[in-house]
Amino acid sequence: MRASALARSNIALVKYWGKRDATLNLPAAGSISMTLDGLETRTTVEFGPWERDTVFINDEALEGKGLAKISKFLDLVRPGTLCADVRSTNSFPTAAGLASSASGFAALALAASQAAGLELTPQELSVLARRGSGSAARSIVGGFAIWHEGQKSDGTDSFAEELAPADHWDLRCVVLVTRKGPKDVPSTEGMNHTMETSPFYAEWLNTVRRDMDGAKEAIVQKDFVRLAEVSEGSCLAMHASAMAARPAVIYWNARTLELIHEVRSLRAQGKACFFTIDAGPHVKVFTTAEDVYGVKAYFQDHPSVEDLLVAKPGQGAELL
Ligand code: PMV
């Protein structure tokens, strides 16, 4: 009744922003991402006749709401009344402010289901991971993942699958950490509030449906220019809808905006690069294997960059 799993983080190229069902974490639209090598969570789950679940993340015991969220997730696979001991570590600095929920819930879904004796298909695993955190559905899959919006109310058709394997296209993601500071508005809170109050939300959804086709084709054809157009457009439309919410949800800081301009000017100088930003102020720069050294060198000692990580396409979740 014990298993260990490893899963990697992912960054969306077409963003997920809004749920049509908050309990099942069903998305209002599909999304597309790249799984990131090296940004890993390793998790061990053991079920036993204990009184309560215990969860340690990077050797720190989780309590309160965080623990309750994991326990509720474990209820989906828990054998009878057994409790779980969960030990999880992230390979990437948590202080960097990068979301670890995608790799975290993907690793937990695989380790917990295996420890409970369930043999889930990759689709079922993705559905299970989705219940913990929407974007975790995509971290079950390696390379380039597409998370289907799905139609069914029970969510069984809303899972991620591989659009192309990790070795299909040697892209790089350079993560520019703009600050190690206060917490951002959590993604669920930000997306729910945008959906409820932003006059631009319906229009944002229209962009997603168009961008899904554009990004899919760009990835299959390895068309960097097209992917840059679609992906920056999706990111900016998501943030525009959040900024138009009342009151506004603004994830950017001054450095975020400065780095957006830097990426655009680097591109004008001929470097293959584009930016994307999630529910926080950090800027992720996608580039090619050819241009990654130039991009990295440019931002390495930039005054607006506190920390820099480089990732290539990674594999899907695996048992250890
Ligand atoms: O998986 P969640 O609930 O943390 O939401 C992720 C939201 C974004 O990172 C902003 C977009 C995405 O598709 O990953």
Side-chain angles (χ1 to χ4, degrees):
M1 306 226 92
R2 180 188 159 101
S4 298
L6 157 64
R8 297 162 182 90
S9 188
N10 72 76
I11 302 283
L13 294 158
V14 176
K15 302 293 183 193
Y16 150 56
W17 198 246
K19 306 175 200 264
R20 69 171 194 278
D21 181 319
T23 313
L24 294 177
N25 263 348
L26 293 178
S31 56
I32 290 178
S33 62
M34 186 175 100
T35 301
L36 302 178
D37 192 46
L39 302 186
E40 304 169 351
T41 301
R42 285 162 195 265
T43 300
T44 299
V45 177
E46 184 172 1
F47 286 105
W50 305 307
E51 277 191 1
R52 60 191 289 267
D53 294 329
T54 45
V55 180
F56 288 85
I57 298 181
N58 294 333
D59 291 327
E60 250 186 69
L62 203 61
E63 298 292 343
K65 269 193 193 165
L67 177 62
K69 188 172 180 196
I70 305 280
S71 282
K72 205 169 153 209
F73 179 82
L74 290 167
D75 289 345
L76 300 169
V77 297
R78 189 189 301 282
T81 55
L82 295 185
C83 284
D85 180 62
V86 179
R87 312 265 159 165
S88 195
T89 51
N90 292 324
S91 73
F92 48 101
T94 7
L98 295 165
S100 51
S101 66
S103 53
F105 276 104
L108 184 63
L110 181 53
S113 57
Q114 189 74 17
L118 305 171
E119 290 287 342
L120 301 185
T121 64
Q123 286 188 10
E124 290 167 332
L125 259 180
S126 178
V127 164
L128 177 61
R130 189 199 74 218
R131 296 288 299 270
S133 166
S135 55
R138 300 187 307 239
S139 274
I140 294 296
V141 179
F144 298 84
I146 178 165
W147 173 16
H148 303 289
E149 173 183 336
Q151 302 299 324
K152 296 186 183 166
S153 57
D154 68 359
T156 47
D157 60 349
S158 184
F159 54 84
E161 64 186 343
E162 194 181 275
L163 197 57
D167 62 4
H168 166 70
W169 197 5
D170 199 10
L171 289 188
R172 299 300 156 91
C173 180
V174 181
V175 180
L176 308 177
V177 176
T178 60
R179 62 126 171 80
K180 301 167 180 166
K183 285 219 166 218
D184 306 302
V185 176
S187 51
T188 292
E189 205 179 306
M191 64 177 82
N192 288 347
H193 177 66
T194 304
M195 218 172 168
E196 284 157 14
T197 68
S198 175
F200 294 169
Y201 189 77
E203 216 27 68
W204 144 253
L205 273 187
N206 288 333
T207 68
V208 183
R209 300 200 167 115
R210 269 198 310 273
D211 289 343
M212 288 293 286
D213 291 337
K216 226 188 302 183
E217 275 174 34
I219 289 168
V220 170
Q221 294 164 4
K222 299 191 228 179
D223 183 340
F224 192 89
V225 172
R226 178 109 192 264
L227 187 62
E229 251 170 53
V230 172
S231 187
E232 281 189 0
S234 176
C235 160
L236 292 173
M238 173 204 131
H239 284 275
S241 75
M243 285 180 195
R246 304 192 180 185
V249 181
I250 304 177
Y251 286 110
W252 302 358
N253 59 30
R255 289 176 166 185
T256 314
L257 192 55
E258 188 191 352
L259 293 171
I260 286 175
H261 286 295
E262 294 279 29
V263 172
R264 284 162 64 99
S265 89
L266 260 186
R267 184 161 68 228
Q269 291 161 38
K271 289 264 181 287
C273 58
F274 67 85
F275 63 84
T276 189
I277 302 144
D278 293 296
H282 312 304
V283 177
K284 290 108 184 189
V285 185
F286 277 83
T287 182
T288 55
E290 206 179 22
D291 278 344
V292 69
Y293 292 105
V295 170
K296 194 178 158 194
Y298 188 82
F299 288 110
Q300 189 83 66
D301 298 314
H302 194 286
S304 290
V305 176
E306 297 250 333
D307 203 356
L308 180 151
L309 311 168
V310 182
K312 50 186 184 183
Q315 303 294 329
E318 56 199 84
L319 280 168
L320 295 172

